[in-house]
Amino acid sequence: MRFVILAAAAAAVLLLQVSASSATRTEALVGGSPEALVGGWRPIKNLSDPYVRGIAEFAIKAHNDEAETGLVLVKVMKGETQVVSGANYRLVVEVKDGADTKSFEVVVWDKPWEHSRRLTSFTAVPGKA
């Protein structure tokens, strides 16, 4: 019984540390305190951050794999993040589709402590795709 209680306590501490690291990562991208970020969308201040670019590249690759397309990321044009159980990233990306340039809004759910990402939305930006 004592072992079960100790294991549960250790798991709770680990979960708190992981949640804090996710909030810290998001805080570094958007500025401000992590408490102010929970639930609401906040603009990403540094769109050229390698982590943000990695999220965008993941979204393009996931879409290409599913839709059997060959889109290539050009740049991240706009971005917001939302602290949830992990973080949602809502990005507007510019891509090349052959000779054409198109824009899409993508949403990726990221749980870095589980090494898990999921593309939850990929939609054309009206007038840009």
Side-chain angles (χ1 to χ4, degrees), residues 16-30:
L16 287 173
Q17 289 174 337
V18 167
S19 295
S21 71
S22 177
T24 300
R25 177 78 194 142
T26 302
E27 177 185 355
L29 291 173
V30 300

Side-chain angles (χ1 to χ4, degrees), residues 29-84:
L29 291 173
V30 300
S33 70
E35 293 80 17
L37 300 175
V38 175
W41 288 97
R42 298 286 303 241
I44 297 173
K45 295 185 187 291
N46 183 4
L47 296 176
S48 61
D49 182 284
Y51 198 82
V52 174
R53 178 131 183 130
I55 295 284
E57 288 171 347
F58 168 83
I60 301 302
K61 182 181 181 326
H63 175 76
N64 283 343
D65 290 348
E66 184 177 315
E68 297 182 2
T69 57
L71 303 178
V72 177
L73 178 64
V74 174
K75 67 179 177 178
V76 178
M77 299 167 44
K78 180 180 174 184
E80 298 174 298
T81 188
Q82 176 188 45
V83 175
V84 289

